[in-house]
Amino acid sequence: NHPLGKNMIGAFYQPQCVLADTATLNTLDDRQLSSGLAEVIKYGLINDAEFFDWLEQNMPLLVARDPAALAQAIARSCQDKATIVADDEREQGVRALLNLGHTFGHAIETGCGYGHCLHGEAIAIGMVMAADLSQRMGWLNDDKVNRIRTIMIKANLPITVPGQLSSADFMDLMAVDKKVQDGLIRLVLLRDIGQAIISDDYDSKALAETLSTFTAGN
């Protein structure tokens, strides 16, 4: 969490194994649990529409910490992530799909001050913003955008930008992002639920409209 931007410093080291002790989730408060669920929802949106459907039906169980539902969601999320990472270890291409909602979300985290908005909360807002822009590009219809908004609400996640961030603030903060190439902000957008793409070929006016909508009055 550097003052100039999030996730700009790091290294790649693959684990020998991963242990997921689901009992540790009982040590989290409800807000932290919901924050984690944002990243779970992300996998359904990126490349697993069937999983998104399952999450819509089972979100009440996940929020209630049902052990079987949590174990299934975690295992499916790990499978979806592993599929993407195996194809692109160092994030030169398809792995950037994992950043759905993150360019908007990191701007929220940095702009509002780290800790004010939990990571998952910021990413949830960012995914709703990505859905809004995708709709403006003609890819998502009202029903699918509403499904995305609704599942965030069911997970007790925010869907509006907090604080006093302006459209100009967003543009300045998004310009300091690891996905910026040749001065162009590359965004992860949705052609459909379960079909994410990486693009810098979006309508700049549509982006401005999305930012204006989510920062109205700021």
Side-chain angles (χ1 to χ4, degrees), residues 43-112:
Y43 291 112
L45 289 173
I46 289 172
N47 68 346
D48 196 341
E50 181 181 82
F51 184 36
F52 187 85
D53 293 343
W54 183 89
L55 289 171
E56 287 182 308
Q57 297 299 317
N58 291 277
M59 189 55 68
L61 291 176
L62 295 172
V63 171
R65 302 168 187 254
D66 178 81
L70 286 170
Q72 185 168 341
I74 291 167
R76 186 67 166 258
S77 298
C78 289
Q79 290 171 352
D80 286 341
K81 182 170 185 176
T83 298
I84 292 174
V85 173
D87 289 337
D88 182 17
E89 178 184 1
R90 296 184 179 272
E91 198 168 322
Q92 300 301 307
V94 68
R95 183 170 174 166
L97 292 174
L98 297 173
N99 292 312
L100 175 66
H102 282 60
T103 301
F104 294 116
H106 287 171
I108 293 170
E109 287 185 90
T110 305
C112 292

Short mmCIF file of all heavy atoms in Angstrom, two decimals, residues 43-112:
data_model
loop_
_atom_site.label_atom_id
_atom_site.label_comp_id
_atom_site.label_asym_id
_atom_site.label_seq_id
_atom_site.Cartn_x
_atom_site.Cartn_y
_atom_site.Cartn_z
N TYR A 43 -14.68 -14.22 -9.36
CA TYR A 43 -14.39 -15.38 -10.20
C TYR A 43 -15.59 -15.77 -11.05
O TYR A 43 -15.44 -16.17 -12.21
CB TYR A 43 -13.90 -16.55 -9.35
CG TYR A 43 -12.54 -16.29 -8.76
CD1 TYR A 43 -12.37 -16.10 -7.40
CD2 TYR A 43 -11.43 -16.17 -9.58
CE1 TYR A 43 -11.13 -15.81 -6.86
CE2 TYR A 43 -10.18 -15.90 -9.07
CZ TYR A 43 -10.04 -15.71 -7.69
OH TYR A 43 -8.80 -15.40 -7.17
N GLY A 44 -16.78 -15.66 -10.47
CA GLY A 44 -17.97 -15.94 -11.26
C GLY A 44 -18.12 -14.98 -12.42
O GLY A 44 -18.50 -15.38 -13.53
N LEU A 45 -17.79 -13.73 -12.18
CA LEU A 45 -17.93 -12.72 -13.22
C LEU A 45 -16.87 -12.87 -14.30
O LEU A 45 -17.14 -12.63 -15.48
CB LEU A 45 -17.84 -11.31 -12.60
CG LEU A 45 -19.04 -10.88 -11.76
CD1 LEU A 45 -18.74 -9.55 -11.07
CD2 LEU A 45 -20.29 -10.75 -12.63
N ILE A 46 -15.66 -13.27 -13.93
CA ILE A 46 -14.56 -13.33 -14.89
C ILE A 46 -14.76 -14.44 -15.92
O ILE A 46 -14.72 -14.20 -17.13
CB ILE A 46 -13.21 -13.55 -14.17
CG1 ILE A 46 -12.81 -12.30 -13.40
CG2 ILE A 46 -12.12 -13.91 -15.18
CD1 ILE A 46 -11.58 -12.53 -12.53
N ASN A 47 -14.96 -15.67 -15.43
CA ASN A 47 -14.92 -16.80 -16.38
C ASN A 47 -15.76 -18.00 -15.97
O ASN A 47 -15.55 -19.11 -16.45
CB ASN A 47 -13.47 -17.26 -16.59
CG ASN A 47 -12.86 -17.90 -15.36
OD1 ASN A 47 -13.40 -17.79 -14.26
ND2 ASN A 47 -11.73 -18.57 -15.53
N ASP A 48 -16.73 -17.79 -15.07
CA ASP A 48 -17.47 -18.94 -14.55
C ASP A 48 -18.92 -18.54 -14.26
O ASP A 48 -19.32 -18.39 -13.11
CB ASP A 48 -16.78 -19.46 -13.28
CG ASP A 48 -17.22 -20.87 -12.90
OD1 ASP A 48 -18.29 -21.30 -13.37
OD2 ASP A 48 -16.51 -21.51 -12.10
N ALA A 49 -19.70 -18.40 -15.31
CA ALA A 49 -21.10 -17.97 -15.16
C ALA A 49 -21.90 -18.96 -14.33
O ALA A 49 -22.80 -18.57 -13.58
CB ALA A 49 -21.74 -17.80 -16.54
N GLU A 50 -21.57 -20.23 -14.43
CA GLU A 50 -22.27 -21.25 -13.64
C GLU A 50 -22.03 -21.02 -12.15
O GLU A 50 -22.95 -21.15 -11.33
CB GLU A 50 -21.78 -22.63 -14.04
CG GLU A 50 -22.46 -23.78 -13.31
CD GLU A 50 -21.91 -25.13 -13.73
OE1 GLU A 50 -20.85 -25.53 -13.20
OE2 GLU A 50 -22.53 -25.78 -14.59
N PHE A 51 -20.80 -20.67 -11.79
CA PHE A 51 -20.46 -20.36 -10.40
C PHE A 51 -21.19 -19.11 -9.95
O PHE A 51 -21.68 -19.05 -8.82
CB PHE A 51 -18.95 -20.19 -10.27
CG PHE A 51 -18.46 -19.96 -8.86
CD1 PHE A 51 -19.05 -20.59 -7.78
CD2 PHE A 51 -17.37 -19.12 -8.63
CE1 PHE A 51 -18.58 -20.39 -6.48
CE2 PHE A 51 -16.89 -18.91 -7.35
CZ PHE A 51 -17.49 -19.54 -6.27
N PHE A 52 -21.31 -18.11 -10.81
CA PHE A 52 -22.05 -16.90 -10.45
C PHE A 52 -23.51 -17.24 -10.15
O PHE A 52 -24.07 -16.74 -9.15
CB PHE A 52 -21.98 -15.87 -11.58
CG PHE A 52 -22.58 -14.54 -11.23
CD1 PHE A 52 -21.84 -13.57 -10.57
CD2 PHE A 52 -23.91 -14.25 -11.56
CE1 PHE A 52 -22.39 -12.34 -10.23
CE2 PHE A 52 -24.47 -13.03 -11.22
CZ PHE A 52 -23.71 -12.08 -10.56
N ASP A 53 -24.11 -18.11 -10.96
CA ASP A 53 -25.49 -18.54 -10.70
C ASP A 53 -25.58 -19.21 -9.33
O ASP A 53 -26.53 -18.98 -8.56
CB ASP A 53 -25.96 -19.53 -11.77
CG ASP A 53 -26.10 -18.89 -13.14
OD1 ASP A 53 -26.14 -17.65 -13.23
OD2 ASP A 53 -26.14 -19.65 -14.14
N TRP A 54 -24.60 -20.06 -9.03
CA TRP A 54 -24.57 -20.77 -7.74
C TRP A 54 -24.45 -19.77 -6.59
O TRP A 54 -25.13 -19.90 -5.56
CB TRP A 54 -23.40 -21.76 -7.71
CG TRP A 54 -23.33 -22.58 -6.45
CD1 TRP A 54 -23.95 -23.77 -6.23
CD2 TRP A 54 -22.62 -22.25 -5.26
NE1 TRP A 54 -23.65 -24.22 -4.96
CE2 TRP A 54 -22.84 -23.31 -4.35
CE3 TRP A 54 -21.81 -21.19 -4.87
CZ2 TRP A 54 -22.29 -23.32 -3.06
CZ3 TRP A 54 -21.25 -21.19 -3.58
CH2 TRP A 54 -21.48 -22.25 -2.70
N LEU A 55 -23.60 -18.76 -6.77
CA LEU A 55 -23.42 -17.74 -5.73
C LEU A 55 -24.71 -16.96 -5.49
O LEU A 55 -25.04 -16.63 -4.34
CB LEU A 55 -22.29 -16.78 -6.12
CG LEU A 55 -20.87 -17.36 -6.07
CD1 LEU A 55 -19.88 -16.38 -6.70
CD2 LEU A 55 -20.47 -17.67 -4.63
N GLU A 56 -25.44 -16.66 -6.55
CA GLU A 56 -26.71 -15.96 -6.39
C GLU A 56 -27.66 -16.75 -5.51
O GLU A 56 -28.37 -16.18 -4.66
CB GLU A 56 -27.36 -15.71 -7.75
CG GLU A 56 -26.69 -14.63 -8.58
CD GLU A 56 -27.40 -14.40 -9.90
OE1 GLU A 56 -27.62 -15.39 -10.64
OE2 GLU A 56 -27.73 -13.25 -10.20
N GLN A 57 -27.68 -18.06 -5.69
CA GLN A 57 -28.59 -18.92 -4.93
C GLN A 57 -28.10 -19.16 -3.50
O GLN A 57 -28.92 -19.35 -2.59
CB GLN A 57 -28.76 -20.27 -5.65
CG GLN A 57 -29.39 -20.18 -7.02
CD GLN A 57 -30.79 -19.60 -6.98
OE1 GLN A 57 -31.59 -19.96 -6.11
NE2 GLN A 57 -31.09 -18.68 -7.89
N ASN A 58 -26.80 -19.16 -3.31
CA ASN A 58 -26.23 -19.58 -2.03
C ASN A 58 -25.61 -18.47 -1.20
O ASN A 58 -25.05 -18.74 -0.13
CB ASN A 58 -25.18 -20.68 -2.27
CG ASN A 58 -25.81 -21.98 -2.73
OD1 ASN A 58 -26.28 -22.77 -1.93
ND2 ASN A 58 -25.83 -22.19 -4.04
N MET A 59 -25.70 -17.22 -1.65
CA MET A 59 -25.11 -16.13 -0.89
C MET A 59 -25.63 -16.05 0.55
O MET A 59 -24.83 -15.79 1.47
CB MET A 59 -25.32 -14.80 -1.62
CG MET A 59 -24.53 -13.64 -1.00
SD MET A 59 -22.74 -13.98 -0.87
CE MET A 59 -22.27 -14.02 -2.60
N PRO A 60 -26.93 -16.27 0.80
CA PRO A 60 -27.37 -16.25 2.21
C PRO A 60 -26.63 -17.27 3.07
O PRO A 60 -26.32 -16.99 4.24
CB PRO A 60 -28.87 -16.58 2.11
CG PRO A 60 -29.27 -16.11 0.74
CD PRO A 60 -28.07 -16.42 -0.13
N LEU A 61 -26.34 -18.45 2.53
CA LEU A 61 -25.60 -19.46 3.28
C LEU A 61 -24.16 -19.02 3.52
O LEU A 61 -23.60 -19.24 4.61
CB LEU A 61 -25.60 -20.79 2.53
CG LEU A 61 -26.94 -21.54 2.45
CD1 LEU A 61 -26.80 -22.78 1.58
CD2 LEU A 61 -27.42 -21.92 3.85
N LEU A 62 -23.54 -18.38 2.52
CA LEU A 62 -22.16 -17.93 2.67
C LEU A 62 -22.07 -16.83 3.73
O LEU A 62 -21.17 -16.84 4.58
CB LEU A 62 -21.63 -17.42 1.33
CG LEU A 62 -21.50 -18.49 0.23
CD1 LEU A 62 -21.15 -17.83 -1.10
CD2 LEU A 62 -20.45 -19.52 0.60
N VAL A 63 -23.00 -15.90 3.69
CA VAL A 63 -23.00 -14.82 4.68
C VAL A 63 -23.24 -15.38 6.08
O VAL A 63 -22.68 -14.89 7.07
CB VAL A 63 -24.08 -13.77 4.31
CG1 VAL A 63 -24.26 -12.76 5.44
CG2 VAL A 63 -23.69 -13.05 3.03
N ALA A 64 -24.04 -16.45 6.16
CA ALA A 64 -24.32 -17.09 7.44
C ALA A 64 -23.21 -18.04 7.88
O ALA A 64 -23.33 -18.69 8.91
CB ALA A 64 -25.65 -17.84 7.37
N ARG A 65 -22.16 -18.15 7.07
CA ARG A 65 -20.97 -18.96 7.37
C ARG A 65 -21.27 -20.45 7.38
O ARG A 65 -20.68 -21.21 8.16
CB ARG A 65 -20.34 -18.53 8.70
CG ARG A 65 -19.94 -17.07 8.75
CD ARG A 65 -19.59 -16.62 10.17
NE ARG A 65 -19.36 -15.19 10.25
CZ ARG A 65 -18.16 -14.63 10.37
NH1 ARG A 65 -17.08 -15.38 10.45
NH2 ARG A 65 -18.03 -13.32 10.43
N ASP A 66 -22.15 -20.90 6.51
CA ASP A 66 -22.40 -22.32 6.39
C ASP A 66 -21.13 -23.02 5.94
O ASP A 66 -20.59 -22.71 4.87
CB ASP A 66 -23.52 -22.57 5.37
CG ASP A 66 -23.81 -24.05 5.18
OD1 ASP A 66 -24.53 -24.61 6.00
OD2 ASP A 66 -23.27 -24.62 4.20
N PRO A 67 -20.62 -23.98 6.72
CA PRO A 67 -19.31 -24.58 6.41
C PRO A 67 -19.25 -25.25 5.04
O PRO A 67 -18.25 -25.10 4.31
CB PRO A 67 -19.12 -25.61 7.53
CG PRO A 67 -19.96 -25.09 8.65
CD PRO A 67 -21.16 -24.47 7.99
N ALA A 68 -20.28 -25.98 4.67
CA ALA A 68 -20.26 -26.68 3.39
C ALA A 68 -20.27 -25.69 2.22
O ALA A 68 -19.55 -25.87 1.23
CB ALA A 68 -21.44 -27.63 3.29
N ALA A 69 -21.09 -24.65 2.33
CA ALA A 69 -21.16 -23.66 1.25
C ALA A 69 -19.84 -22.91 1.12
O ALA A 69 -19.35 -22.67 0.01
CB ALA A 69 -22.31 -22.67 1.53
N LEU A 70 -19.24 -22.54 2.25
CA LEU A 70 -17.96 -21.84 2.22
C LEU A 70 -16.88 -22.72 1.59
O LEU A 70 -16.09 -22.25 0.76
CB LEU A 70 -17.54 -21.43 3.63
CG LEU A 70 -18.30 -20.25 4.25
CD1 LEU A 70 -17.95 -20.10 5.72
CD2 LEU A 70 -18.00 -18.95 3.50
N ALA A 71 -16.84 -24.00 1.97
CA ALA A 71 -15.83 -24.90 1.42
C ALA A 71 -15.99 -25.03 -0.10
O ALA A 71 -15.00 -25.03 -0.84
CB ALA A 71 -15.94 -26.27 2.09
N GLN A 72 -17.23 -25.12 -0.56
CA GLN A 72 -17.47 -25.24 -2.01
C GLN A 72 -17.06 -23.97 -2.74
O GLN A 72 -16.44 -24.03 -3.81
CB GLN A 72 -18.94 -25.55 -2.27
CG GLN A 72 -19.24 -25.82 -3.75
CD GLN A 72 -20.62 -26.40 -3.97
OE1 GLN A 72 -21.22 -26.93 -3.03
NE2 GLN A 72 -21.11 -26.33 -5.19
N ALA A 73 -17.38 -22.81 -2.16
CA ALA A 73 -17.03 -21.54 -2.80
C ALA A 73 -15.52 -21.35 -2.86
O ALA A 73 -14.98 -20.87 -3.87
CB ALA A 73 -17.67 -20.38 -2.03
N ILE A 74 -14.83 -21.74 -1.80
CA ILE A 74 -13.37 -21.58 -1.76
C ILE A 74 -12.71 -22.51 -2.78
O ILE A 74 -11.81 -22.09 -3.52
CB ILE A 74 -12.84 -21.86 -0.33
CG1 ILE A 74 -13.30 -20.75 0.62
CG2 ILE A 74 -11.31 -21.97 -0.33
CD1 ILE A 74 -13.11 -21.09 2.09
N ALA A 75 -13.16 -23.75 -2.83
CA ALA A 75 -12.57 -24.71 -3.77
C ALA A 75 -12.79 -24.26 -5.21
O ALA A 75 -11.86 -24.32 -6.03
CB ALA A 75 -13.18 -26.10 -3.54
N ARG A 76 -13.99 -23.79 -5.52
CA ARG A 76 -14.28 -23.35 -6.88
C ARG A 76 -13.45 -22.12 -7.23
O ARG A 76 -12.92 -22.00 -8.35
CB ARG A 76 -15.78 -23.04 -7.01
CG ARG A 76 -16.27 -22.71 -8.41
CD ARG A 76 -16.19 -23.92 -9.36
NE ARG A 76 -16.95 -23.69 -10.58
CZ ARG A 76 -18.16 -24.18 -10.83
NH1 ARG A 76 -18.76 -24.96 -9.94
NH2 ARG A 76 -18.76 -23.93 -11.97
N SER A 77 -13.30 -21.19 -6.27
CA SER A 77 -12.49 -19.99 -6.51
C SER A 77 -11.04 -20.36 -6.79
O SER A 77 -10.40 -19.80 -7.68
CB SER A 77 -12.56 -19.06 -5.30
OG SER A 77 -13.87 -18.61 -5.07
N CYS A 78 -10.51 -21.31 -6.01
CA CYS A 78 -9.12 -21.75 -6.21
C CYS A 78 -8.95 -22.38 -7.59
O CYS A 78 -7.95 -22.14 -8.28
CB CYS A 78 -8.72 -22.75 -5.13
SG CYS A 78 -8.50 -22.04 -3.49
N GLN A 79 -9.91 -23.18 -8.02
CA GLN A 79 -9.85 -23.80 -9.34
C GLN A 79 -9.85 -22.75 -10.45
O GLN A 79 -9.06 -22.82 -11.39
CB GLN A 79 -11.03 -24.76 -9.52
CG GLN A 79 -10.96 -26.01 -8.66
CD GLN A 79 -12.25 -26.81 -8.70
OE1 GLN A 79 -13.26 -26.38 -9.24
NE2 GLN A 79 -12.22 -27.99 -8.10
N ASP A 80 -10.74 -21.78 -10.31
CA ASP A 80 -10.84 -20.74 -11.33
C ASP A 80 -9.57 -19.91 -11.40
O ASP A 80 -9.08 -19.58 -12.49
CB ASP A 80 -12.04 -19.83 -11.05
CG ASP A 80 -13.38 -20.50 -11.38
OD1 ASP A 80 -13.38 -21.47 -12.13
OD2 ASP A 80 -14.41 -20.03 -10.86
N LYS A 81 -9.01 -19.56 -10.24
CA LYS A 81 -7.78 -18.77 -10.24
C LYS A 81 -6.61 -19.57 -10.79
O LYS A 81 -5.81 -19.05 -11.58
CB LYS A 81 -7.45 -18.27 -8.83
CG LYS A 81 -6.20 -17.40 -8.80
CD LYS A 81 -6.00 -16.70 -7.48
CE LYS A 81 -4.80 -15.74 -7.55
NZ LYS A 81 -4.62 -14.97 -6.30
N ALA A 82 -6.50 -20.83 -10.38
CA ALA A 82 -5.39 -21.66 -10.83
C ALA A 82 -5.39 -21.81 -12.35
O ALA A 82 -4.33 -21.82 -12.99
CB ALA A 82 -5.45 -23.03 -10.16
N THR A 83 -6.57 -21.92 -12.93
CA THR A 83 -6.67 -22.06 -14.38
C THR A 83 -6.07 -20.85 -15.08
O THR A 83 -5.34 -20.98 -16.08
CB THR A 83 -8.14 -22.22 -14.80
OG1 THR A 83 -8.67 -23.41 -14.21
CG2 THR A 83 -8.27 -22.31 -16.31
N ILE A 84 -6.35 -19.67 -14.55
CA ILE A 84 -5.85 -18.44 -15.17
C ILE A 84 -4.35 -18.27 -14.91
O ILE A 84 -3.58 -17.98 -15.82
CB ILE A 84 -6.63 -17.22 -14.64
CG1 ILE A 84 -8.08 -17.26 -15.15
CG2 ILE A 84 -5.96 -15.91 -15.05
CD1 ILE A 84 -8.97 -16.19 -14.57
N VAL A 85 -3.93 -18.47 -13.67
CA VAL A 85 -2.52 -18.25 -13.31
C VAL A 85 -1.61 -19.24 -14.03
O VAL A 85 -0.50 -18.88 -14.44
CB VAL A 85 -2.34 -18.36 -11.78
CG1 VAL A 85 -0.86 -18.32 -11.41
CG2 VAL A 85 -3.09 -17.24 -11.08
N ALA A 86 -2.07 -20.47 -14.23
CA ALA A 86 -1.25 -21.47 -14.92
C ALA A 86 -0.92 -21.04 -16.35
O ALA A 86 0.13 -21.38 -16.88
CB ALA A 86 -1.97 -22.81 -14.93
N ASP A 87 -1.80 -20.25 -16.93
CA ASP A 87 -1.59 -19.79 -18.31
C ASP A 87 -0.75 -18.52 -18.39
O ASP A 87 -0.28 -18.15 -19.47
CB ASP A 87 -2.94 -19.53 -19.00
CG ASP A 87 -3.69 -20.82 -19.30
OD1 ASP A 87 -3.03 -21.88 -19.39
OD2 ASP A 87 -4.93 -20.77 -19.44
N ASP A 88 -0.57 -17.84 -17.25
CA ASP A 88 0.09 -16.52 -17.29
C ASP A 88 0.66 -16.18 -15.92
O ASP A 88 0.12 -15.35 -15.19
CB ASP A 88 -0.93 -15.46 -17.74
CG ASP A 88 -0.33 -14.07 -17.86
OD1 ASP A 88 0.90 -13.95 -17.92
OD2 ASP A 88 -1.11 -13.10 -17.89
N GLU A 89 1.78 -16.83 -15.59
CA GLU A 89 2.34 -16.71 -14.24
C GLU A 89 2.69 -15.27 -13.88
O GLU A 89 2.46 -14.83 -12.76
CB GLU A 89 3.60 -17.59 -14.12
CG GLU A 89 4.27 -17.49 -12.76
CD GLU A 89 5.56 -18.29 -12.70
OE1 GLU A 89 5.93 -18.91 -13.73
OE2 GLU A 89 6.20 -18.28 -11.64
N ARG A 90 3.25 -14.51 -14.82
CA ARG A 90 3.78 -13.19 -14.50
C ARG A 90 2.90 -12.03 -14.97
O ARG A 90 3.35 -10.90 -15.12
CB ARG A 90 5.20 -13.05 -15.07
CG ARG A 90 6.17 -14.02 -14.43
CD ARG A 90 7.60 -13.83 -14.93
NE ARG A 90 8.49 -14.75 -14.27
CZ ARG A 90 9.10 -14.53 -13.11
NH1 ARG A 90 8.89 -13.40 -12.48
NH2 ARG A 90 9.90 -15.44 -12.58
N GLU A 91 1.65 -12.33 -15.20
CA GLU A 91 0.65 -11.32 -15.53
C GLU A 91 1.03 -10.49 -16.75
O GLU A 91 1.01 -9.26 -16.74
CB GLU A 91 0.40 -10.40 -14.32
CG GLU A 91 -0.91 -9.63 -14.42
CD GLU A 91 -1.30 -8.95 -13.11
OE1 GLU A 91 -1.09 -9.55 -12.04
OE2 GLU A 91 -1.82 -7.83 -13.18
N GLN A 92 1.38 -11.19 -17.82
CA GLN A 92 1.66 -10.51 -19.08
C GLN A 92 0.44 -10.46 -19.99
O GLN A 92 0.45 -9.77 -21.00
CB GLN A 92 2.81 -11.25 -19.80
CG GLN A 92 4.10 -11.30 -19.00
CD GLN A 92 4.63 -9.91 -18.67
OE1 GLN A 92 4.81 -9.07 -19.56
NE2 GLN A 92 4.86 -9.66 -17.39
N GLY A 93 -0.59 -11.20 -19.63
CA GLY A 93 -1.77 -11.25 -20.50
C GLY A 93 -3.02 -11.59 -19.73
O GLY A 93 -3.56 -10.79 -18.98
N VAL A 94 -3.48 -12.86 -19.87
CA VAL A 94 -4.79 -13.25 -19.37
C VAL A 94 -4.91 -13.13 -17.85
O VAL A 94 -6.02 -12.93 -17.32
CB VAL A 94 -5.11 -14.70 -19.82
CG1 VAL A 94 -4.20 -15.71 -19.15
CG2 VAL A 94 -6.56 -15.03 -19.55
N ARG A 95 -3.80 -13.22 -17.12
CA ARG A 95 -3.89 -13.13 -15.66
C ARG A 95 -4.44 -11.78 -15.21
O ARG A 95 -5.00 -11.67 -14.12
CB ARG A 95 -2.51 -13.38 -15.03
CG ARG A 95 -2.55 -13.36 -13.50
CD ARG A 95 -1.25 -13.83 -12.89
NE ARG A 95 -1.26 -13.69 -11.45
CZ ARG A 95 -0.39 -14.25 -10.63
NH1 ARG A 95 0.56 -15.02 -11.12
NH2 ARG A 95 -0.46 -14.07 -9.34
N ALA A 96 -4.30 -10.76 -16.04
CA ALA A 96 -4.83 -9.44 -15.70
C ALA A 96 -6.35 -9.47 -15.53
O ALA A 96 -6.93 -8.56 -14.93
CB ALA A 96 -4.43 -8.42 -16.75
N LEU A 97 -7.01 -10.52 -16.04
CA LEU A 97 -8.45 -10.66 -15.82
C LEU A 97 -8.78 -10.71 -14.34
O LEU A 97 -9.89 -10.33 -13.93
CB LEU A 97 -8.98 -11.92 -16.51
CG LEU A 97 -8.97 -11.93 -18.04
CD1 LEU A 97 -9.37 -13.30 -18.55
CD2 LEU A 97 -9.89 -10.86 -18.59
N LEU A 98 -7.84 -11.19 -13.53
CA LEU A 98 -8.06 -11.27 -12.08
C LEU A 98 -8.22 -9.89 -11.46
O LEU A 98 -8.59 -9.77 -10.29
CB LEU A 98 -6.91 -12.01 -11.41
CG LEU A 98 -6.73 -13.48 -11.81
CD1 LEU A 98 -5.46 -14.05 -11.20
CD2 LEU A 98 -7.94 -14.30 -11.39
N ASN A 99 -7.92 -8.86 -12.23
CA ASN A 99 -8.01 -7.49 -11.72
C ASN A 99 -9.37 -6.83 -12.02
O ASN A 99 -9.49 -5.61 -11.94
CB ASN A 99 -6.89 -6.63 -12.31
CG ASN A 99 -5.53 -7.05 -11.78
OD1 ASN A 99 -5.33 -7.21 -10.59
ND2 ASN A 99 -4.58 -7.24 -12.69
N LEU A 100 -10.38 -7.63 -12.34
CA LEU A 100 -11.71 -7.06 -12.52
C LEU A 100 -12.09 -6.22 -11.30
O LEU A 100 -12.03 -6.70 -10.17
CB LEU A 100 -12.75 -8.17 -12.72
CG LEU A 100 -14.20 -7.70 -12.80
CD1 LEU A 100 -14.44 -6.86 -14.05
CD2 LEU A 100 -15.16 -8.89 -12.78
N GLY A 101 -12.44 -4.97 -11.54
CA GLY A 101 -12.84 -4.08 -10.46
C GLY A 101 -11.69 -3.44 -9.71
O GLY A 101 -11.89 -2.52 -8.91
N HIS A 102 -10.46 -3.90 -9.98
CA HIS A 102 -9.33 -3.46 -9.18
C HIS A 102 -8.78 -2.09 -9.58
O HIS A 102 -8.25 -1.37 -8.72
CB HIS A 102 -8.21 -4.51 -9.22
CG HIS A 102 -8.47 -5.69 -8.33
ND1 HIS A 102 -9.58 -6.50 -8.49
CD2 HIS A 102 -7.78 -6.20 -7.28
CE1 HIS A 102 -9.55 -7.46 -7.57
NE2 HIS A 102 -8.48 -7.30 -6.83
N THR A 103 -8.86 -1.72 -10.84
CA THR A 103 -8.35 -0.39 -11.22
C THR A 103 -9.21 0.68 -10.58
O THR A 103 -8.69 1.65 -9.99
CB THR A 103 -8.33 -0.23 -12.75
OG1 THR A 103 -7.48 -1.25 -13.31
CG2 THR A 103 -7.78 1.13 -13.15
N PHE A 104 -10.53 0.52 -10.64
CA PHE A 104 -11.42 1.44 -9.94
C PHE A 104 -11.23 1.29 -8.42
O PHE A 104 -11.15 2.29 -7.68
CB PHE A 104 -12.89 1.15 -10.28
CG PHE A 104 -13.25 1.42 -11.71
CD1 PHE A 104 -13.65 0.38 -12.54
CD2 PHE A 104 -13.24 2.70 -12.22
CE1 PHE A 104 -14.01 0.62 -13.86
CE2 PHE A 104 -13.60 2.96 -13.55
CZ PHE A 104 -13.98 1.91 -14.37
N GLY A 105 -11.17 0.05 -7.95
CA GLY A 105 -11.09 -0.21 -6.52
C GLY A 105 -9.82 0.31 -5.89
O GLY A 105 -9.85 0.88 -4.79
N HIS A 106 -8.68 0.13 -6.56
CA HIS A 106 -7.43 0.64 -6.01
C HIS A 106 -7.46 2.16 -5.92
O HIS A 106 -6.89 2.75 -5.00
CB HIS A 106 -6.25 0.18 -6.88
CG HIS A 106 -5.91 -1.26 -6.72
ND1 HIS A 106 -5.01 -1.91 -7.54
CD2 HIS A 106 -6.35 -2.19 -5.84
CE1 HIS A 106 -4.91 -3.17 -7.16
NE2 HIS A 106 -5.72 -3.36 -6.14
N ALA A 107 -8.10 2.80 -6.89
CA ALA A 107 -8.23 4.27 -6.84
C ALA A 107 -9.04 4.67 -5.61
O ALA A 107 -8.71 5.67 -4.94
CB ALA A 107 -8.89 4.78 -8.12
N ILE A 108 -10.08 3.91 -5.29
CA ILE A 108 -10.89 4.20 -4.11
C ILE A 108 -10.06 4.02 -2.85
O ILE A 108 -10.07 4.87 -1.94
CB ILE A 108 -12.13 3.29 -4.08
CG1 ILE A 108 -13.08 3.65 -5.23
CG2 ILE A 108 -12.86 3.41 -2.74
CD1 ILE A 108 -14.20 2.66 -5.44
N GLU A 109 -9.32 2.91 -2.77
CA GLU A 109 -8.50 2.65 -1.58
C GLU A 109 -7.46 3.75 -1.37
O GLU A 109 -7.28 4.25 -0.26
CB GLU A 109 -7.79 1.30 -1.71
CG GLU A 109 -8.70 0.10 -1.55
CD GLU A 109 -7.91 -1.19 -1.58
OE1 GLU A 109 -7.47 -1.63 -0.52
OE2 GLU A 109 -7.72 -1.73 -2.69
N THR A 110 -6.76 4.09 -2.44
CA THR A 110 -5.70 5.10 -2.34
C THR A 110 -6.30 6.47 -2.06
O THR A 110 -5.81 7.21 -1.20
CB THR A 110 -4.87 5.14 -3.63
OG1 THR A 110 -4.37 3.84 -3.93
CG2 THR A 110 -3.70 6.11 -3.49
N GLY A 111 -7.36 6.82 -2.77
CA GLY A 111 -7.94 8.15 -2.65
C GLY A 111 -8.61 8.39 -1.33
O GLY A 111 -8.58 9.52 -0.80
N CYS A 112 -9.24 7.36 -0.77
CA CYS A 112 -9.94 7.52 0.51
C CYS A 112 -9.02 7.30 1.70
O CYS A 112 -9.37 7.65 2.83
CB CYS A 112 -11.12 6.55 0.59
SG CYS A 112 -12.46 6.91 -0.55
#
